[in-house]
Amino acid sequence: MTVAWVFPGQGSQKIGMAKQIENLPSTKERFSYASEIFDRNLFEICELNYDPTNPLSDLNNTRNTQICLFLVESILLDALKENGFKPTYVAGHSLGEITALYCAEVFSFEDCVSLIKVRSQLMVNAEQGSMAAVIGFDRNELNLLVKKSKDVVIANDNSSSQVVLSGSNEELDNLSKEISCKRFLKLNVSGAFHSPFMDKPAVKFSEYLKQIKFKNPSFPVISNYEPSLCDDPDELKVRLENQMCNGVRWRETMDLMAKDNDLHFVEVGPSNVLSGLAKRHMKDLKISQVSSSNQLTY
């Protein structure tokens, strides 16, 4: 059986997700290390409801979301490995790609924490454009409208019935009036992620990545920029460099996985976002969820 471990990105965070792994041996040490790097109590942030007087204490603030998700996912995946489990290959959605690279031993834990600090800050500072989720649409109509627009791209091609668009607020509003869909929902984000609006931050991120050694992966990784199995560290570096300003091709990632008739899809993270997409998009596959210390098996 082929086993795919997948790691979700922003949008899958949950208040209480750190408590779910509190009793695992590495949890305290890893949260303490990252909290010192980020200069805030990340474990506490995972457990607190939003405080409007202090945005930096909010789990949904990109500065906190990315590192907190990585911490939870990395602790869970290492616990799985310690229990004797391992994947055939890995994939991650947006931020989850960094977790996938960590899982494949391309990066050290410490490298990932520093990398995510840089990545999240660059994304927060972009402050250009916005994003919108579109659900229940005609793919041909959507493609035509996006092609016609100057400033809108498909940022997350999540499935045949769900995408996230990035672009200028004006162009997103115009497109929302033209498209026929079940839901068009503007997202509360600081910029137009995974789009050309991120070109300048992506250049800075690429410069930072030059300082980090990409090791040979212990198993293949599917990247967002190019959804194919890859075990070349130089190519994985190019793909991660291109991720920030290009779309997340998750629908194509699932299509690639679906070619295997004996697939076990294991989502490692606090929620079932990717499992839900897989259930609706793929047929006849086994799905497991690993989101707490009580679920370290499948």
Side-chain angles (χ1 to χ4, degrees):
M1 175 174 278
T2 301
V3 180
W5 285 8
V6 298
F7 306 99
Q10 284 183 248
S12 63
Q13 67 272 14
K14 285 184 174 180
I15 296 293
M17 65 184 186
K19 279 282 184 185
Q20 297 284 84
I21 57 168
E22 188 176 20
N23 60 336
L24 292 175
S26 62
T27 299
K28 183 177 180 181
E29 179 186 350
R30 290 196 179 182
F31 267 92
S32 295
Y33 176 85
S35 293
E36 190 170 330
I37 299 295
F38 277 73
D39 194 27
R40 64 197 68 128
N41 188 330
L42 296 171
F43 191 94
E44 188 176 81
I45 285 169
C46 287
E47 306 310 307
L48 292 176
N49 288 314
Y50 174 55
D51 177 3
T53 63
N54 182 14
L56 279 182
S57 72
D58 181 17
L59 179 59
N60 294 321
N61 184 315
T62 294
R63 294 179 184 89
N64 302 325
T65 311
Q66 295 189 15
I67 186 59
C68 287
L69 277 173
F70 169 73
L71 288 170
V72 171
E73 292 171 8
S74 67
I75 291 165
L76 284 169
L77 76 85
D78 280 337
L80 280 173
K81 287 181 176 181
E82 286 167 13
N83 283 2
F85 295 93
K86 67 176 183 178
T88 310
Y89 60 80
V90 291
H93 189 287
S94 192
L95 178 276
E97 184 173 325
I98 294 173
T99 311
L101 290 166
Y102 167 74
C103 184
E105 301 173 40
V106 174
F107 298 142
S108 69
F109 171 77
E110 292 78 10
D111 280 344
C112 287
V113 172
S114 299
L115 188 155
I116 290 167
K117 184 176 183 181
V118 171
R119 181 184 190 267
S120 58
Q121 192 62 55
L122 285 170
M123 291 174 76
V124 166
N125 290 346
E127 294 183 343
Q128 279 190 308
S130 187
M131 302 179 80
V134 187
I135 299 168
F137 54 88
D138 178 84
R139 174 71 57 168
N140 290 330
E141 182 192 18
L142 176 70
N143 288 341
L144 285 172
L145 289 171
V146 168
K147 189 175 181 180
K148 187 174 76 171
S149 171
K150 294 178 183 177
D151 290 325
V152 174
V153 297
I154 296 175
N156 299 343
D157 189 356
N158 288 333
S159 72
S160 55
S161 60
Q162 184 195 117
V163 301
V164 175
L165 304 177
S166 275
S168 68
N169 277 296
E170 183 182 359
E171 287 291 312
L172 286 172
D173 288 341
N174 290 339
L175 196 148
S176 72
K177 296 168 187 173
E178 294 186 61
I179 193 167
S180 300
C181 61
K182 288 183 180 178
R183 291 188 71 193
F184 190 100
L185 178 66
K186 291 285 283 292
L187 303 181
N188 183 22
V189 293
S190 60
F193 304 153
H194 297 294
S195 81
F197 280 85
M198 302 299 292
D199 282 351
K200 288 183 180 178
V203 170
K204 293 179 181 178
F205 188 55
S206 179
E207 287 296 315
Y208 179 80
L209 288 179
K210 289 177 181 176
Q211 306 170 34
I212 300 178
K213 180 175 174 58
F214 281 59
K215 299 172 187 171
N216 289 315
S218 50
F219 27 75
V221 180
I222 304 175
S223 302
N224 295 169
Y225 175 70
E226 177 55 56
S228 61
L229 294 168
C230 180
D231 57 11
D232 179 348
D234 294 330
E235 177 61 22
L236 288 171
K237 188 171 198 172
V238 170
R239 293 181 181 191
L240 188 60
E241 286 174 346
N242 284 311
Q243 191 219 57
M244 189 179 285
C245 57
N246 288 278
V248 174
R249 296 162 65 182
W250 195 255
R251 176 173 59 95
E252 293 170 79
T253 297
M254 291 191 293
D255 287 342
L256 177 66
M257 293 179 180
K259 292 177 181 178
D260 195 313
N261 294 322
D262 193 21
L263 176 68
H264 189 172
F265 184 99
V266 182
E267 181 171 7
V268 182
S271 69
N272 60 355
V273 172
L274 300 180
S275 299
L277 291 172
K279 283 177 184 176
R280 291 186 289 274
H281 190 78
M282 303 161 74
K283 294 180 180 178
D284 303 321
L285 79 159
K286 182 179 180 182
I287 296 178
S288 295
Q289 178 71 33
V290 178
S291 58
S292 74
S293 58
N294 297 324
Q295 295 176 304
L296 297 176
T297 185
Y298 54 78

